[in-house]
């Protein structure tokens, strides 16, 4: 699946829960949410409550581990972070550009990018082609990466708002992209291991779906302020959102 082609690469998985929201916001409001909702196992909620702040430039979870990158170049993670990813970040000296973006997935998958645009990942061979190939080079590079239900499912958003994906893309997400065919304004896409998905555009719109009734209840009242969602194992999640506008 891509902004222009690759339709043959996608199989739309059945999506059990089709709760979809479209949320208008200003682009500036999207980019930094000072508040966080979470439902994480094994003490994860306590970790993010202690470590999260508006200075966090990136936060990601796979349900088992959560990583945060701060605007001053510092970073932190909970226990259980993929050892390869953890060691790669620890090996970098204070003189090296810090990590600025990461995405975590099931089965040890991850993507991490540093301030000098150096990147590392663990994923399918097909994903590597989309991260390093013609699409990435022509679009200014990778912006966000999402890992889906199985190792072969991924979704990449590029710096120019175009995108590529492959595998069991949730049906709700696929239908949304078909409805918006030809538009190249994506800012971020997140996928979860149970069919969850989240989309945000540069214009400040957002949609999500495949989530549980408990999730819907948890985000009630902040739908118009959501800036980012991430999903992990056993229906765990992170929701970043802004202060109430007056």
């Amino acid at each position: 699946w891509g902004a222009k082609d690759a339709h043959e690469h996608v199989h739309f998985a059945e999506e059990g829960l089709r709760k979809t929201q479209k949320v208008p916001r200003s682009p500036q409001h999207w980019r930094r949410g000072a508040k966080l909702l979470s439902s994480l196992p094994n003490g994860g909620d306590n970790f993010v409550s202690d470590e999260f702040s508006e200075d966090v430039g990136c936060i990601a979870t796979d349900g088992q581990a959560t990583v945060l990158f701060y605007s001053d170049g510092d970073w932190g993670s909970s226990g259980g972070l993929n050892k390869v990813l953890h060691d790669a970040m620890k090996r970098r000296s204070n003189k090296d550009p810090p990590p600025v973006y990461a995405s975590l997935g099931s089965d040890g998958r991850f993507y991490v990018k540093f301030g000098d645009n150096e990147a590392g990942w663990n994923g399918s061979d097909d994903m590597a082609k989309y991260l390093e190939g013609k699409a990435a080079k022509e679009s200014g590079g990778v912006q966000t990466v999402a890992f889906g239900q199985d190792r072969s499912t991924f979704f990449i958003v590029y710096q120019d708002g175009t995108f590529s994906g492959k595998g069991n893309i949730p049906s709700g997400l696929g239908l949304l992209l078909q409805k918006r065919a030809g538009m190249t304004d994506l800012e971020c896409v997140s996928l979860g291991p149970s069919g969850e998905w989240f989309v945000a555009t540069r214009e400040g719109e957002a949609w999500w779906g495949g989530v549980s009734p408990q999730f819907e209840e948890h985000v009630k009242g902040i739908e118009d302020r959501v800036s980012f969602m991430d999903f992990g194992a056993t229906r765990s999640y992170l929701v970043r959102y802004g202060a109430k506008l007056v």
Side-chain angles (χ1 to χ4, degrees), residues 191-213:
L191 298 175
S194 299
E196 308 96 330
W197 58 273
F198 171 79
V199 177
T201 71
R202 296 178 178 183
E203 288 71 30
E205 293 181 313
W207 299 260
W208 59 87
V211 297
S212 69

Side-chain angles (χ1 to χ4, degrees), residues 41-42 47 58-69 75-91 99 101-112 114 122 147 230:
N42 305 321
F47 170 77
C58 173
I59 183 169
T61 191
D62 60 7
Q64 303 303 313
T66 301
V67 63
L68 307 93
F69 298 154
W75 65 276
S77 68
S78 65
L81 185 65
N82 181 289
K83 187 177 186 301
V84 175
L85 173 58
H86 182 271
D87 290 350
M89 293 191 295
K90 290 286 285 186
R91 279 197 300 269
Y101 172 77
S103 177
L104 307 179
S106 60
D107 194 29
R109 293 174 293 169
F110 69 84
Y111 176 88
V112 61
F114 299 91
N122 178 26
F147 299 99
D230 204 10

Side-chain angles (χ1 to χ4, degrees), residues 36-52 66 68 78 238:
L36 191 75
L37 289 178
S38 69
S39 179
L40 301 171
N42 305 321
D45 288 336
N46 291 334
F47 170 77
V48 296
S49 176
D50 291 341
E51 301 297 328
F52 178 80
T66 301
L68 307 93
S78 65
L238 297 168

Side-chain angles (χ1 to χ4, degrees), residues 112-130:
V112 61
K113 183 167 68 174
F114 299 91
D116 56 359
N117 285 323
E118 180 183 346
W121 60 84
N122 178 26
S124 67
D125 291 340
D126 281 337
M127 189 183 81
K129 298 174 186 176
Y130 288 93

